[in-house]
């Protein structure tokens, strides 16, 4: 009887309860975050982000571009006085944070919240989880890629959408001729890409209106290392002879390739 009583006391001890809570928190965090690509609310200046038990930021963050804060979470550990979330940075910024570099998120305890409340705090204070908030943070050219919107299937000719002006947008083909560039600006090389000796082709989707002006740009195939932004800056300055359908100018959506080569 005494041994059974002692066993029950051990099971009811604060340490046992804490261990059970930690396992519950860890399980929920892994289910919600692990092996997912997420956007941090701030990029660490080195390789670590620190928060207190109320999820207030206690370390410095990098003022760099939004896309540099994208990480893939690969490990989560919950202890009595600390939560650690490890991931890999997927982008490149000029302070030495390269693709594949480890990012460590530390949240200091002790934790008074229950598991669902703590999970909600971590999701909302550490990461950007809501799609409507993402659409506000992510610049328009990257939104389709970052928000997981699948590209439309390619087809020849026919309407592809409508501009805010009411002008129909067509695809090239079936009588719709492609626009012809008449003024092309070459892109500059980013310092990050030059330092990394990085080369490649950025593919941009553009809408050219009936006046031959580009009215919208989105990234169809990213290149990273800051080169996509350089491609957009250059292509915004391009002008075209417009596309034609039955002898009249029309708006079209087409892809353009911007090559970056080091000679």
């Amino acid at each position: 009887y005494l041994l059974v009583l002692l066993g029950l006391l051990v099971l009811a001890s604060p340490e046992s309860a804490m261990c059970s809570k930690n396992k519950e928190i860890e399980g929920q965090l892994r289910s919600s975050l692990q092996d997912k690509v997420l956007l941090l609310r701030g990029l660490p200046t080195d390789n670590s982000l620190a928060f207190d038990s109320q999820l207030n930021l206690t370390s410095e963050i990098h003022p760099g571009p939004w896309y540099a804060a994208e990480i893939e979470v690969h490990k989560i550990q919950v202890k009595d006085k600390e939560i650690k979330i490890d991931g890999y940075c997927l982008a490149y910024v000029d302070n030495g944070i390269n693709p594949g570099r480890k990012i460590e998120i530390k949240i200091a305890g002790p934790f008074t919240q229950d598991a669902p409340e703590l999970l909600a705090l971590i999701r909302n204070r550490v990461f950007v989880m809501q799609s409507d908030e993402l659409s506000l943070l992510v610049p328009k050219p990257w939104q389709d890629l970052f928000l997981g919107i699948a590209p439309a299937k390619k087809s020849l000719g026919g309407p592809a959408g409508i501009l805010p002006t009411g002008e129909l947008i067509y695809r090239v083909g079936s009588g719709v001729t492609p626009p012809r560039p008449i003024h092309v600006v070459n892109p500059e090389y980013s310092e990050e890409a030059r330092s990394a000796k990085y080369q490649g082709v950025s593919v941009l989707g553009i809408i050219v209106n009936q006046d031959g002006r580009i009215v919208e740009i989105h990234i169809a195939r990213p290149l990273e290392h800051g080169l996509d932004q350089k491609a957009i800056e250059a292509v915004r300055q391009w002008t075209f002879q417009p596309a034609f359908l039955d002898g009249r100018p029309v708006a079209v959506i087409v892809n353009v390739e911007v090559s970056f080569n080091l000679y």
Side-chain angles (χ1 to χ4, degrees):
Y1 175 80
L2 183 59
L3 290 174
V4 171
L5 180 59
L6 288 172
L8 290 173
L9 288 173
V10 169
L11 289 174
S13 67
E15 290 81 5
S16 178
M18 180 63 72
C19 182
S20 177
K21 179 181 177 180
N22 290 346
K23 287 183 178 180
E24 181 184 3
I25 293 171
E26 190 172 282
Q28 291 199 20
L29 286 174
R30 286 180 176 176
S31 175
S32 177
L33 306 176
Q34 191 156 312
D35 299 323
K36 292 181 172 61
V37 176
L38 302 168
L39 182 68
L40 290 170
R41 289 188 176 274
L43 185 72
T45 53
D46 46 27
N47 68 338
S48 180
L49 276 177
F51 296 82
D52 64 20
S53 60
Q54 301 303 310
L55 275 298
N56 297 308
L57 185 66
T58 58
S59 60
E60 294 184 357
I61 59 173
H62 188 271
W66 64 272
Y67 55 81
E70 192 178 11
I71 71 164
E72 182 176 15
V73 175
H74 69 93
K75 186 177 181 181
I76 297 172
Q77 291 179 302
V78 178
K79 298 181 180 180
D80 291 352
K81 294 184 179 180
E82 185 181 64
I83 294 174
K84 286 178 62 178
I85 301 173
D86 295 332
Y88 291 114
C89 179
L90 299 182
Y92 181 101
V93 289
D94 58 8
N95 71 335
I97 296 180
N98 301 316
R101 180 170 176 175
K102 181 180 178 181
I103 300 292
E104 185 177 66
I105 301 164
K106 295 181 179 179
I107 306 167
F111 306 104
T112 57
Q113 307 91 341
D114 58 21
E117 182 183 0
L118 186 56
L119 174 62
L121 277 173
I122 292 172
R123 287 168 58 92
N124 294 329
R125 300 278 183 88
V126 180
F127 302 100
V128 181
M129 303 294 293
Q130 303 298 322
S131 59
D132 56 345
E133 192 174 14
L134 280 173
S135 66
L136 294 175
L137 292 172
V138 178
K140 179 67 174 175
W142 282 271
Q143 283 187 13
D144 288 359
L145 286 174
F146 201 85
L147 299 176
I149 300 173
K153 293 182 179 180
K154 292 183 179 180
S155 60
L156 294 177
I162 187 169
L163 291 173
T165 58
E167 185 180 354
L168 281 175
I169 305 166
Y170 290 87
R171 297 182 182 89
V172 173
S174 298
V176 180
T177 62
R180 183 172 61 85
I182 55 178
H183 176 67
V184 174
V185 175
N186 292 324
E188 297 179 356
Y189 231 94
S190 68
E191 289 303 319
E192 302 99 302
R194 191 180 300 280
S195 298
K197 298 181 180 179
Y198 188 76
Q199 303 181 99
V201 177
S202 176
V203 181
L204 305 179
I206 62 173
I207 296 177
V208 181
N209 72 4
Q210 61 184 7
D211 296 324
R213 293 183 299 106
I214 296 175
V215 293
E216 186 173 313
I217 298 177
H218 68 269
I219 294 177
R221 192 176 70 209
L223 191 57
E224 299 183 355
H225 285 269
L227 293 179
D228 294 309
Q229 183 61 41
K230 293 296 184 182
I232 290 171
E233 291 170 1
V235 171
R236 282 195 193 281
Q237 303 175 66
W238 292 14
T239 56
F240 292 81
Q241 181 186 69
F244 283 87
L245 172 63
D246 297 330
R248 61 183 177 87
V250 293
V252 293
I253 182 168
V254 293
N255 283 353
V256 295
E257 296 184 351
V258 183
S259 298
F260 292 87
N261 298 291
L262 290 170
Y263 298 101

